[in-house]
Amino acid sequence: MASSVPVHGNWIAGKWVPARSGRTFENRNPADVTDLIGRFADSDERDAKEAVDVAAEAYKSWRLVPGPQRGEILYRLGEILRDRKEQYARDMTREMGKVLKEARGDVQEAIDMAFLMGGEGRRLHGQTTPSELPNKFAMSVRAPIGVCAFITPWNFPMAIPAWKTTAALVCGNTVVIKPATDTPLSVVNFARALADAGLPPGVFNMVSGSGSKVGMPLLKDPRVKVVSFTGSTSVGQTINEACAPSFKHVHLEMGGKNPIIVMDDANLELAVDGSIWGAFGTSGQRCTASSRLLVHKKVVRKFTAMMAERANALRVGSGLDEKNEMGPSVNESQLDTVLDYISIGKAEGAKCVAGGRRLAGKAHEKGWFVAPTVFADCHRTMRVAREEIFGPVTSIVPISSLEEAIDVANDSEYGLSSAIFTQDVNKAFVAMRDLEAGIFYVNLPTIGAETHLPFGGTKKTGNGHREAGLAALDVFSEWKSIYVDYSGTIQKAQIDVPAGEASAKKKK
Ligand code: UN1
């Protein structure tokens, strides 16, 4: 049967090529590890270098392609992804486990991004502004930067590569991407769609393999000008350090410990609905997962009972079965991390009111399944209430006022997403102003960002950049300020005819 397993190469210069080493690695279904999805190029620095060679060469012509034409290719990308949405979603569920409905959403996010940046090809607005001097024109334009290297995660295997790629390409940059080793197939699919959309060879290249053998060489290559990474804060720090000596532009999207505040006036049904979705969507494997529930003491008992009941009732299993509401953890080491945190929570005195164990039994024995887990009566200092777990575990921390809730929420090294459930507009606005996070929701959980708004966070979640939305253009372009003098003289800014001096002279 081994011969029926597809083998995928790297996508370099518009061709599928094997890794120089000739080696491959396996990609297996986390819901059923006997299901071998394919073998993928196990690349090293030679493959990474070749991809950068190609991207650097392609940059020379791609940067000169008019924005509207670049945008049109992205628009076609959106149409192709829309046509293939079902197949690509199934491939994604099979390789990373999230339920089909969510995998379709992931592909949809890539489609949305393609259309957004497709349209941007005809805008890419800069500013025109008066000059302080006569017969002189002033404006700013966005200029591309060069080769961009992307290190992308497994939790949004197509959406996140699309966030980065579409924004980079519309600005006129070229790309080398290293997909997560758990989810290379979704990036293979994305590369196919880009090729079929008519993207010239070499503008987008994919090299699969490990962070040390492929990622690191990309970070050290002086021809790579921009690095964009989504993943853990500790890896982000390593990337930041590796890029510092060559002054690369670095865009980092990292961890979260996202709070939902539930006030005593909240619609509790809605708050529970939102918390279940926010905590257990994608098996809690979102940077934006609602992993802290800060619930007013007046309603916390009722809220906890409702959460436990709903969590226990969630149908967990293969995401390919439409009846299931939650899939597995992505791999064995992620499962181990989640189980470790469950033990830590129990040991530090958090009350486990739902889940708290690996799922065994026929439907689960071949995969990395954990029961949706709710810890109640948590204290803000507990590790389960502070550290990012990246699994189906959420912690309820009782609070007695909005002020206390905001204080607990902000007492975190992360600042990605945040939310409040309340019917009091005054409380909603105070939380909106005071929560230290890049994203804020009222009467929604912390997940569910839309592509046309900036995505990213404060503190150790990010390094001051945003992706998606028009903010993404700032990561992938440099401002160029342009002055055109048609006076026929060398007019000196700040020195010749400053208006203030003219009026001061008159007064004398
Ligand atoms: C992530 O978890 O890394 O807002 C991205 C959301 C999704 C994107 C999540 N649209 O939850």
Side-chain angles (χ1 to χ4, degrees), residues 188-227:
V188 164
N189 285 338
F190 186 62
R192 285 176 177 145
L194 271 166
D196 294 343
L199 192 70
V203 173
F204 175 88
N205 307 277
M206 181 203 93
V207 182
S208 59
S210 69
S212 56
K213 286 198 286 181
V214 179
M216 244 332 151
L218 290 174
L219 307 181
K220 300 225 159 122
D221 194 312
R223 296 163 305 162
V224 170
K225 304 298 181 201
V226 183
V227 169

Side-chain angles (χ1 to χ4, degrees), residues 109 155-156 160 163 230 286-288 441 447-449 455:
E109 202 157 341
N155 67 335
F156 277 79
I160 290 179
W163 284 356
T230 300
R286 293 196 192 209
C287 312
T288 51
Y441 294 92
I447 68 174
F455 182 95

Side-chain angles (χ1 to χ4, degrees), residues 64 91 99-100 116 119 187 225 301 314 429 486:
L64 299 176
D91 284 348
V99 296
L100 259 180
L116 176 70
V187 180
K225 304 298 181 201
R301 191 179 286 272
L314 282 176
F429 267 81
Y486 52 99

Side-chain angles (χ1 to χ4, degrees), residues 461-493:
T461 294
N463 62 341
H465 299 287
R466 292 291 184 270
E467 60 190 337
L470 298 189
L473 302 175
D474 293 330
V475 172
F476 298 111
S477 60
E478 291 268 20
W479 283 114
K480 185 178 278 186
S481 298
I482 299 170
Y483 304 94
V484 181
D485 194 309
Y486 52 99
S487 69
T489 58
I490 300 300
Q491 304 192 80
K492 300 186 189 70

Side-chain angles (χ1 to χ4, degrees), residues 4 12 31-32 64 90 97 107 119 132 135 144 181 186 211 217 222 266 288 301 400-401 421 456 467:
S4 66
I12 300 176
D32 173 2
L64 299 176
R90 283 179 184 275
V107 180
E132 64 192 39
N135 297 325
T181 47
S186 293
T288 51
R301 191 179 286 272
S400 5
S401 65
F421 279 86
E467 60 190 337

